[in-house]
């Protein structure tokens, strides 16, 4: 994030607050790349955010453009194109996609499982895990029940427990330290100093699970 970006955003919100926030109030920053389809002669702000599907070479289906908020519709269209190319048929149940719960279950699923669960961890941790992981929290809490040390925050980070790091490796395909600290959890974005201080402990937990060497752990922490 450039200094000009920061200034632009601070100026944009300044009129909303009685005391305008300044750079010293920022607790985390990140920027991203939007995958716009090139349109010659147009500025990025003028380019359509719509996605496009291309076929070829051969029976290869590619989808580009789009945005996070249209990911489900993009997925439906991409799968439909694949089936048309390879089977010449419609995608069964494509119209039902929006009704299917994402990972973590529906609100009803979460409510039913939480009522059935016997939580033995600290109430604040239990609430955070259910709010973050949905029905997957039941498995994490089972691990904590078997090994209470798994519920401990790592290096003073109350927002990241040992059991969550292990869950990220086993269930969420985390294979790098950054995957856990900035992607599976958000601590690296909002608790920068504390996250750096806890990085070695997190890397040690991941290293045991993934068979990392000492040099690999050191490189990831650095």
């Amino acid at each position: 994030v450039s200094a000009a970006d920061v200034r632009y955003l601070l100026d944009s919100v300044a009129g909303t607050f009685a005391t305008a926030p300044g750079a010293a109030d920022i607790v985390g920053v990140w920027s991203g790349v939007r995958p716009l389809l090139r349109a010659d002669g147009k500025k990025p702000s003028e380019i359509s955010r719509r996605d496009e599907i291309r076929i070829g070479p051969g029976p290869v289906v590619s989808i580009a453009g789009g945005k996070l908020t249209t990911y489900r519709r993009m997925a439906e269209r991409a799968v439909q194109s694949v089936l048309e190319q390879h089977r010449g048929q419609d995608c069964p149940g494509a119209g039902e996609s929006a009704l299917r719960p994402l990972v973590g279950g529906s609100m009803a699923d979460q409510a039913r499982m939480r009522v059935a669960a016997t939580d033995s961890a600290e109430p604040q941790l239990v609430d955070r895990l259910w709010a973050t992981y949905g029905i997957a929290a039941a498995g994490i809490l089972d691990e904590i029940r078997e090994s209470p040390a798994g519920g401990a925050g790592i290096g003073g980070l109350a927002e990241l427990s040992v059991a969550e790091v292990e869950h990220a490796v086993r269930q969420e395909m985390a294979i790098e330290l950054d995957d856990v600290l900035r992607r599976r959890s958000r601590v690296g974005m909002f608790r920068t100093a504390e996250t750096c201080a806890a990085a070695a402990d997190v890397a040690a937990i991941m290293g045991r699970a993934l068979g990392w060497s000492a040099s690999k752990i050191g490189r990831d922490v650095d």
Side-chain angles (χ1 to χ4, degrees), residues 114 118-127 129-130 140-145 147-148 150-152:
R114 182 157 189 185
T118 55
D119 298 325
S120 58
E122 291 291 329
Q124 187 173 359
L125 172 62
V126 171
D127 288 344
L129 292 177
W130 281 103
I140 300 174
L141 288 165
D142 284 343
E143 295 291 333
I144 294 173
R145 192 175 299 112
S147 177

Side-chain angles (χ1 to χ4, degrees), residues 106-176:
S106 67
M107 295 299 290
D109 292 336
Q110 293 182 38
R112 184 176 63 255
M113 288 192 67
R114 182 157 189 185
V115 168
T118 55
D119 298 325
S120 58
E122 291 291 329
Q124 187 173 359
L125 172 62
V126 171
D127 288 344
R128 184 176 66 76
L129 292 177
W130 281 103
T132 302
Y133 296 94
I135 62 176
I140 300 174
L141 288 165
D142 284 343
E143 295 291 333
I144 294 173
R145 192 175 299 112
E146 292 293 323
S147 177
I154 301 176
L157 284 172
E159 304 91 338
L160 184 64
S161 66
V162 172
E164 287 174 273
V165 175
E166 294 171 342
H167 174 81
V169 173
R170 288 196 310 267
Q171 303 294 336
E172 298 181 339
M173 298 184 288
I175 58 173
E176 300 290 347

Side-chain angles (χ1 to χ4, degrees), residues 83-109:
L83 290 174
E84 289 172 356
Q85 289 295 310
H86 291 276
R87 302 182 189 173
Q89 66 185 50
D90 288 335
C91 176
E96 303 171 7
S97 174
L99 303 177
R100 297 181 182 179
L102 300 176
V103 173
S106 67
M107 295 299 290
D109 292 336

Side-chain angles (χ1 to χ4, degrees), residues 2-68:
S2 69
D5 290 334
V6 173
R7 187 72 266 155
Y8 167 77
L9 292 170
L10 290 175
D11 289 345
S12 297
V13 302
T16 305
F17 297 90
T19 302
D25 299 307
I26 298 170
V27 297
V29 298
W30 63 93
S31 62
V33 178
R34 173 163 273 166
L36 301 178
L37 296 168
R38 187 174 66 186
D40 293 334
K42 288 188 175 182
K43 299 177 181 178
S45 60
E46 298 171 339
I47 298 176
S48 170
R49 269 54 178 166
R50 290 180 61 85
D51 58 273
E52 289 187 18
I53 290 179
R54 303 286 175 88
I55 310 297
V60 175
V61 175
S62 301
I63 186 165
K67 52 187 179 179
L68 281 174

